[in-house]
Amino acid sequence: MNWLTNYVRPKIRALYARKEVPDNLWHKCPSCEAMLFHRDLEENLNVCQHCGFHMRLDPIKRLASMFDEGDYQSVELPKSVVDPLKFRDQKRYTDRLKEAQTKTGRHDAIVVGSGLIGGQPAVVAAFDFGFMGGSMGIAVGEGILAAARTAIAQKAALIVVPASGGARMQEGILSLMQMPRTTIAVEMVKEAGLPYIVVLTDPTTGGVTASFAMIGDIHIAEKGAQIGFAGARVIESTIRETLPEGFQRSEYLQEHGMVDMVVHRRDLRPTLSRVLTLLMQPVLAVATEALPAAPAAVQTEEPRNQAEAADETPAQAGAERTGSEQPA
């Protein structure tokens, strides 16, 4: 009976055994609750094809979707001080950082890349909400400053894509210092005559909104993005009034003049291409005027034509030769 036990029974068990399905094959839309296949969701840039809800997008995928042909160069960010306050709540701050770094595979909540968008040079700084809620600490401030310096060095536009809950509380006053620091970095770009564009995504709140996210030359927002400083519930409890429908959403802010345009994620690159083409024309014109002028051609004495040489008498020609041979 060994052949039944060793051969037939395993075949029957394999035939009727329950196959394990990976958990990440299907995703549920938070808005319409439709089930979305992961490949379809990735091809649509994490936007629900049923209701158009914009889910959060990984910063690496975002950079690839914004640059021409998905081609860009990563900008190396300087290292910053880790846990300067030795902060601890329920966990040590260093332990929280290690967990976030292991989860995302990144040093901190910002990624910077440089390349071409619509043929125009650009430097993009994208936030990662998956890294401690995209909170802004010293490392993020260093990243914004590095992006600004890179844009100035390359004479490129600076584009920032925030997705953040605000300043990182574990770094205390040092995180709040990044608000004026990032504002100064933006002013450096503007003083160089380069465009500064902000692409507001869900969510953009807190100290990020109160600093560099609201001082752009152009503000572009994704559909349905939450943009504000304090939370809606905090505002309602403070003023004791019911907030209007759609409050702190990108469409509401566009109606009230806080946002220039609201675009679908698939239309973001063409929109940036048009905007950069318009804003970079003065920069290119100034760069062309600043080029050194071509050296003037050296004028040499033209030789006498044959008619003048024929009219010249032998005596005159000899006198000229004799005069030229005499020392000065």
Side-chain angles (χ1 to χ4, degrees), residues 240-256:
R240 297 181 180 180
E241 292 183 6
T242 302
L243 298 175
E245 185 178 356
F247 183 74
Q248 287 188 337
R249 295 295 172 178
S250 53
E251 292 80 5
Y252 181 89
L253 269 65
Q254 185 185 22
E255 293 176 0
H256 291 76

Side-chain angles (χ1 to χ4, degrees), residues 64-117:
S65 68
M66 293 176 66
F67 287 106
D68 294 345
E69 307 299 332
D71 184 22
Y72 66 93
Q73 297 293 328
S74 297
V75 177
E76 185 176 356
L77 303 181
K79 294 183 179 180
S80 59
V81 180
V82 178
D83 194 13
L85 303 180
K86 308 300 180 184
F87 190 89
R88 179 175 183 176
D89 44 27
Q90 295 178 350
K91 291 183 180 180
R92 294 182 183 272
Y93 178 42
T94 52
D95 295 337
R96 293 188 183 275
L97 283 176
K98 290 178 182 178
E99 290 178 3
Q101 290 169 354
T102 303
K103 176 184 175 183
T104 62
R106 278 179 275 279
H107 178 69
D108 214 278
I110 191 170
V111 177
V112 181
S114 64
L116 298 177
I117 300 178

Side-chain angles (χ1 to χ4, degrees), residues 139-284:
V140 171
E142 291 284 355
I144 297 292
L145 187 59
R149 289 171 174 169
T150 304
I152 296 172
Q154 298 181 0
K155 297 189 181 301
L158 176 60
I159 302 173
V160 177
V161 189
S164 174
R168 188 171 296 173
M169 69 173 190
Q170 288 87 352
E171 296 185 13
I173 189 65
L174 297 176
S175 65
L176 297 178
M177 288 180 181
Q178 307 311 309
M179 296 170 62
R181 196 160 180 248
T182 53
T183 303
I184 293 173
V186 171
E187 289 301 320
M188 291 167 50
V189 175
K190 293 185 176 182
E191 289 177 1
L194 299 169
Y196 171 56
I197 302 173
V198 182
V199 180
L200 300 165
T201 66
D202 182 69
T204 301
T205 58
V208 171
T209 306
S211 54
F212 62 87
M214 282 297 168
I215 56 175
D217 299 320
I218 301 290
H219 291 113
I220 303 173
E222 290 187 337
K223 287 188 174 183
Q226 181 183 3
I227 305 165
F229 180 72
R233 287 181 296 179
V234 175
I235 297 175
E236 280 188 337
S237 62
T238 302
I239 65 177
R240 297 181 180 180
E241 292 183 6
T242 302
L243 298 175
E245 185 178 356
F247 183 74
Q248 287 188 337
R249 295 295 172 178
S250 53
E251 292 80 5
Y252 181 89
L253 269 65
Q254 185 185 22
E255 293 176 0
H256 291 76
M258 295 292 292
V259 171
D260 295 304
M261 62 184 78
V262 178
V263 300
H264 194 282
R265 189 172 289 167
R266 65 169 177 267
D267 301 326
L268 183 58
R269 186 196 295 175
T271 301
L272 288 173
S273 299
R274 292 194 301 269
V275 171
L276 289 177
T277 301
L278 294 173
L279 296 182
M280 289 297 290
Q281 284 182 353
V283 178
L284 297 176

Side-chain angles (χ1 to χ4, degrees), residues 115-127:
L116 298 177
I117 300 178
Q120 303 295 333
V123 176
V124 179
F127 279 61

